[in-house]
């Protein structure tokens, strides 16, 4: 079954229509300046072990990480996204499993589990985010690391009485986020103008605070070992708009 925005029930919000243009619309995130520092850090944490990516998508991080000699497997709900991963050079060497990365298990254990580019927010309930930490911990070897890259909720940008924050405005359309500060639900809205006709797409998320993530980690038996503003390990401060956090599973 396909809904009006071209996605499928099976693929959720990342069906064929989104997958076909994902690399193009996220081109900045595929640039070496965005990819290389992430791969450097992740390769160091993986060491000689295996890595599991939650929400592997089209392989933006998995493929260069595999080229560094790290065996990578991924879990993703979208067959359309992973099909593009496997069609790329080297994609046949990266394994993938279709499923909900909060609960889907794959064989074996890993020295590294990672989740990048705000993908934790694709889990739209606190329960699912807690399950994700438990799933990551279950896949980790003792001493292994779970890494998340995610933004800090920008609620300070909300004036009193307003629940929307624009983040892209241009002649071809605009985009904005809406927030519910009671439930922590948020949605990213993309309005695109094509031949004078407006198309509106919505992606639901749940924003999450760093301290909340730390509590989820503790519930899963993990402990925070590092938190930086970004992949280049800049200090995390009260002005940081995002963070890369590392939690470790205690050694046996």
């Amino acid at each position: 079954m396909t809904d009006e925005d071209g996605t499928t029930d099976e693929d959720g919000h990342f069906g064929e229509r989104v997958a076909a243009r994902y690399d193009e619309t996220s081109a900045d995130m595929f640039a070496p300046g965005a990819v290389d520092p992430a791969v450097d850090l992740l390769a160091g944490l993986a060491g000689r072990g295996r890595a599991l990516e939650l929400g592997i998508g089209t392989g933006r991080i998995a493929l260069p990480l595999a080229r560094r000699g790290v065996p990578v497997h991924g879990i993703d709900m979208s067959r359309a996204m992973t099909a593009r991963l496997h069609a790329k050079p080297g994609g046949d060497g990266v394994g993938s499993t279709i499923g909900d990365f909060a609960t889907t298990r794959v064989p074996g254990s890993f020295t590294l589990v990672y989740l990048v580019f705000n993908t934790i927010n694709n889990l739209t309930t606190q329960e699912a985010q807690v399950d994700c930490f438990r799933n990551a911990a279950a896949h980790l070897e003792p001493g292994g690391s779970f890494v998340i890259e995610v933004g800090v909720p920008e609620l300070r940008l909300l004036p009193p009485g307003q629940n929307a924050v624009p983040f892209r405005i241009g002649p071809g359309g605009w985009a904005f986020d809406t927030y519910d500060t009671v439930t922590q639900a948020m949605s990213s809205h993309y309005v695109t103008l094509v031949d004078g006709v407006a198309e509106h797409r919505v992606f639901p998320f749940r924003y999450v605070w760093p301290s909340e993530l730390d509590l989820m980690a503790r519930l899963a038996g993990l402990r925070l070992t590092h938190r930086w503003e970004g992949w280049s390990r800049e200090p995390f401060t009260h002005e940081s708009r995002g963070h890369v956090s590392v939690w470790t599973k205690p050694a046996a």
Side-chain angles (χ1 to χ4, degrees), residues 46-52 70-73 106-113 141:
R48 297 183 178 181
R50 303 167 66 213
L52 176 65
V70 178
V72 182
H73 192 91
V106 300
S109 59
F110 300 82
T111 57
L112 172 68
V113 179
E141 296 179 2

Side-chain angles (χ1 to χ4, degrees), residues 180-192:
D180 183 334
T181 57
V182 174
T183 64
Q184 294 180 214
M186 64 173 291
S187 295
S188 291
H189 300 253
Y190 297 85
V191 180
T192 305

Side-chain angles (χ1 to χ4, degrees), residues 57-58 63 81-97:
T58 65
L63 288 171
M81 296 284 277
T82 56
R84 280 161 175 77
L85 156 67
H86 295 305
K88 294 177 179 179
D92 56 348
V94 176
S96 66
T97 298

Side-chain angles (χ1 to χ4, degrees), residues 58-182:
T58 65
R60 181 179 69 93
I61 299 298
L63 288 171
L65 185 59
R67 288 195 291 269
R68 293 281 295 269
V70 178
V72 182
H73 192 91
I75 301 174
D76 203 292
M77 187 72 77
S78 174
R79 295 180 186 276
M81 296 284 277
T82 56
R84 280 161 175 77
L85 156 67
H86 295 305
K88 294 177 179 179
D92 56 348
V94 176
S96 66
T97 298
I98 299 300
D100 179 353
F101 62 72
T103 55
T104 299
R105 292 294 306 275
V106 300
S109 59
F110 300 82
T111 57
L112 172 68
V113 179
Y114 66 95
L115 193 160
V116 300
F117 203 16
N118 297 318
T119 306
I120 186 67
N121 293 345
N122 287 100
L123 301 174
T124 56
T125 68
Q126 186 183 69
E127 179 181 11
Q129 291 172 343
V130 169
D131 287 343
C132 179
F133 272 83
R134 288 176 173 152
N135 199 30
H139 283 97
L140 280 175
E141 296 179 2
S145 299
F146 181 34
V147 180
I148 286 181
E149 175 196 23
V150 66
V152 175
E154 296 189 294
L155 301 188
R156 289 188 298 175
L157 298 178
L158 288 173
Q162 182 173 314
N163 70 342
V165 176
F167 61 87
R168 184 185 306 159
I169 298 174
W174 56 92
F176 59 95
D177 289 329
T178 57
Y179 295 86
D180 183 334
T181 57
V182 174

Side-chain angles (χ1 to χ4, degrees), residues 1-26 58 78-84 190-195 197-203:
M1 179 177 178
T2 301
D3 65 21
E4 63 182 5
D5 72 357
T7 63
T8 66
D9 288 346
E10 184 177 30
D11 285 359
H13 292 273
F14 293 91
E16 180 59 34
R17 185 173 184 177
V18 171
R21 300 183 62 241
Y22 183 81
D23 290 13
E24 175 187 348
T25 57
S26 303
T58 65
S78 174
R79 295 180 186 276
M81 296 284 277
T82 56
R84 280 161 175 77
Y190 297 85
V191 180
T192 305
L193 299 176
V194 180
D195 296 328
V197 178
E199 175 187 88
H200 180 212
R201 290 183 294 120
V202 182
F203 295 86

